[in-house]
């Protein structure tokens, strides 16, 4: 979506591989969110940043998932030792006004 | 019980018909309510907010029933282009009670408009 660029758009990983997914919001956005959307499900909250501070990581499904935003702009979601159940679309979002999220196009991860 | 529940469908509806679907939420302290639309293999996008008094945007009408904790979406004179997944979204106010930091999404209702 306009304002949020995600890469790669598609990633195929073998089980056990590490992956890194990138979110690049337009400059000046304080808040940034990561969501996971499995097939047939709605987006599920993963984690939330205000600038470089990770205020909430309660949605990360396991300690294999790690997110960072070291300079308060670009964020990276890293998944270590990927499993098949990690296959999903990973969506990055920024707020646009109260209660409105603008999502990026997502990174579709397939773990074989 | 999931925080936000929707009938996943699919709802198969002929073009021109009226279709309605509901969504229930579990947290009575929820403060804000929305419908997002998601096209196949695309990201979700805001369709409309849902206000206490109900609101209308063209062919779309959204209603909120706080007592029964559900929201609804009505689509009149449905078009082929309305085919999509409709996501019910509730703000649980995870932090300050406002902003986008407490949004919880339902699984979505899949709508197929048939010619």
């Amino acid at each position: 979506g306009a304002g949020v660029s995600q890469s790669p758009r598609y990633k195929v990983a073998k089980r056990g591989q590490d992956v890194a997914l990138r979110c690049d919001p337009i400059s000046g956005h304080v808040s940034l969110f990561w969501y996971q959307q499995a097939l047939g499900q709605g987006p599920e909250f993963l984690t939330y940043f205000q600038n470089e501070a990770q205020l909430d990581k309660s949605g990360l499904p396991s300690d294999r998932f790690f997110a960072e935003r070291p300079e308060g702009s670009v964020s990276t979601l890293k998944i270590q030792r990927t499993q098949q159940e990690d296959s999903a679309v990973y969506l990055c979002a920024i707020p646009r006004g109260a209660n409105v999220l603008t999502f990026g196009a997502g990174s579709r991860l397939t773990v074989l | 019980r999931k925080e936000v529940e929707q009938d996943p469908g699919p709802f198969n509806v002929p073009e021109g018909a009226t279709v309605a679907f509901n969504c229930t939420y579990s947290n009575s302290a929820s403060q804000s309510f929305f419908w997002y639309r998601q096209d196949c293999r695309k990201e979700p996008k805001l369709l409309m907010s849902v206000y206490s008094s109900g609101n209308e945007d063209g062919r779309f009408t959204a209603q909120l029933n706080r007592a029964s904790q559900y929201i609804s979406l009505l689509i009149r004179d449905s078009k082929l282009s309305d085919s999509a997944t409709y996501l019910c979204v509730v703000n649980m106010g995870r932090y300050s009670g406002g902003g986008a930091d407490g949004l919880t999404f339902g699984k979505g209702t899949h709508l197929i408009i048939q010619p």
Side-chain angles (χ1 to χ4, degrees):
Chain A
V4 185
S5 177
Q6 291 190 246
S7 62
R9 288 294 313 279
Y10 303 93
K11 175 70 179 178
V12 178
K14 290 184 180 177
R15 190 160 54 96
Q17 274 186 326
D18 297 349
V19 300
L21 309 175
R22 177 186 167 103
C23 173
D24 192 351
I26 58 172
S27 61
H29 269 279
V30 171
S31 300
L32 183 147
F33 299 82
W34 282 98
Y35 283 79
Q36 179 192 57
Q37 187 171 24
L39 188 65
Q41 306 293 315
E44 298 268 355
F45 170 81
L46 291 177
T47 187
Y48 163 56
F49 288 87
Q50 266 196 13
N51 296 307
E52 68 278 3
Q54 190 175 18
L55 295 192
D56 187 346
K57 54 182 182 179
S58 62
L60 296 177
S62 77
D63 58 8
R64 296 185 296 103
F65 286 70
F66 172 76
E68 60 182 5
R69 196 185 183 201
E71 295 176 358
S73 54
V74 172
S75 178
T76 303
L77 176 67
K78 297 180 179 177
I79 310 172
Q80 296 177 322
R81 304 181 304 281
T82 52
Q83 304 294 315
Q84 284 189 319
E85 62 263 27
D86 300 336
S87 296
V89 177
Y90 291 86
L91 294 161
C92 178
I94 56 175
R96 286 284 180 90
N99 290 293
V100 178
L101 285 177
T102 293
F103 287 91
S107 291
R108 184 176 298 272
L109 173 65
T110 303
V111 181
L112 302 176
Chain B
R1 181 182 172 190
K2 280 196 67 82
E3 292 178 302
V4 180
E5 292 201 59
Q6 297 181 250
D7 181 345
F11 283 54
N12 288 282
V13 175
E15 192 176 9
T18 294
V19 60
F21 20 86
N22 291 340
C23 158
T24 58
Y25 59 94
S26 61
N27 187 343
S28 59
S30 299
Q31 299 166 5
S32 309
F33 310 88
F34 310 88
W35 286 101
Y36 275 63
R37 171 190 168 132
Q38 186 170 26
D39 293 304
C40 188
R41 301 181 80 85
K42 300 284 191 182
E43 71 273 21
K45 294 183 179 177
L46 178 69
L47 176 67
M48 60 195 300
S49 301
V50 186
Y51 302 123
S52 296
S53 55
N55 50 300
E56 194 172 302
D57 182 2
R59 297 180 294 106
F60 297 80
T61 300
Q63 300 272 0
L64 167 64
N65 185 319
R66 283 192 185 271
S68 300
Q69 295 181 208
Y70 77 83
I71 69 174
S72 64
L73 179 67
L74 179 82
I75 307 174
R76 288 182 301 278
D77 187 25
S78 52
K79 312 290 185 191
L80 294 176
S81 57
D82 295 333
S83 297
T85 297
Y86 291 84
L87 297 162
C88 174
V89 186
V90 176
N91 192 330
M92 306 284 183
R94 182 178 284 118
Y95 300 110
S96 61
D101 47 71
L103 295 181
T104 299
F105 288 74
K107 287 186 176 183
T109 295
H110 189 37
L111 175 65
I112 301 170
I113 305 299
Q114 296 173 326

